[in-house]
Amino acid sequence: MFVCQSCGTQSPKWMGRCSGCGEWNTLVEEVSGGEEPRPGLPRKAGRATPLPEVSFDEGARLFTGMAEVDRVLGGGLFPGGVTLLGGDPGVGKSTLLLQLFGHLARGRTLLYASGEESLAQVAARAGRLGIESSTLNLYAETSLEAILGEVERLAPAALAVDSIQTAGTSALSATPGSLSQVRECSARLIEVAKGRGMPVVMVGHITKDGMIAGPKALEHMVDTVLYLEGDKYRHLKVLRAQKNRFGATSELALLDMTGEGLKEVENPSAALLADRPLHVPGSIIGVAVQGTRPLLFEIQALTSPSAFGLAKRMSLGLDRNRVQLLTAVLERAARMTMGDRDLFVNVVGGVELDEPALDLPLCMAVASAYRGEALPSELAAFGEVGLAGEIRGVGSARARAVEAAALGFTRCLLPASDHKRLENPPRGITLHPVTRLDEALALLLP
Ligand code: TYD
Ligand code: MG
């Protein structure tokens, strides 16, 4: 049966346009059979349970052996939780998953189903990663029914499916990787995961337009969506929780791709600031909070006279509209004319950030680039900038200042309202509270 995803109209054959609502490209093949219970999950009607009688053992979570990954997961794999691990091809998803399962397999039976690589290929990689667990079962298979059969036989403590786009069920005629297959296979895996209390991690490739195939459908079905970011040419990768029913979102871990697989980065802020230039105009350190943890990022700005009177605004790592808006605020606050100047902004490390706390460091970097004067190299900054040029509080001030102090910064520019709420300010760092952007500029770029 083909069902319109927008209005629910059913049709026995595929059509480009739904006859019910007239939308284009909304018909997707689905398994018919409506109310009957699906195989693999007996539907028994139970009773609702009063909250205090629901038992949950925090110790039931599985720890992956990489503390950073566990933190992003919200404290290990949740029993029955389904995690989608997304990312560009070649970024290291299979490597990460195999490493995690290699560790989890100590003392537990696990199943790693790969539809992308042969057994020999997976085994060769496991050898390279130093995994030699006899309880880790590899299975090169694309048929969902076969994979679920092995789950039945082995009763593993966790299941990995690499990738959801290569898995297919015989219930549908569509080819693996199509939206209907991806959705149906995920739905079946989720049922089995919940039914058995077995965590499932599935890999999903992101298509070129930045979406996981089976677009948002998959994201809202699973419990946790993790993205592994970073390009092939950079050894530093970022693992980020896009959605997490069991923990904080936007939690982030830095991982380093080495010859022996991915390694946790011990001090992420230090790694991000490793090659920072000192005493150059247009560079400043901003303190962001990603999830529950403060992190230092270098923000760079460059301005140059624009050709043909068309001012360009380019940004890597920060939202371009935000950069444009803040440039306008800055023009007024600092009496700068940016109309005939190109502006390029970059967050070093290839990380995408959308935290308003980076407004103030961004404005300072642009002003410093414009004036050709360097900011003090021992300075870190955070704060949101409003349209009137006011500096707004962003919270977590103490954690941010402590992180800056820990990395040797001795001065910190911060919103006055955050400073007022700060009890017990950290030692070793001089705080400069500001209420307006022009005040910050007068202080640091007189
Ligand atoms: P892979 O996990 O296959 O990526 P994905 O599953 O996301 O498509 O790994 C991609 C790259 O990682 C590959 O080009 C080789 C590199 N790599 C290392 O640098 N070190 C290692 O130990 C391993 C296993 C892979
Ligand atoms: Mg892979």
Side-chain angles (χ1 to χ4, degrees), residues 94 116-117 125 162 205:
S94 304
E116 306 222 316
E117 289 150 313
R125 174 175 304 170
D162 186 4
H205 292 290

Side-chain angles (χ1 to χ4, degrees), residues 88-95 125 128-129 205 257-261:
D88 290 322
V91 70
K93 300 181 294 299
S94 304
T95 306
R125 174 175 304 170
R128 197 164 146 193
L129 298 171
H205 292 290
M257 182 62 96
T258 69
E260 293 89 46

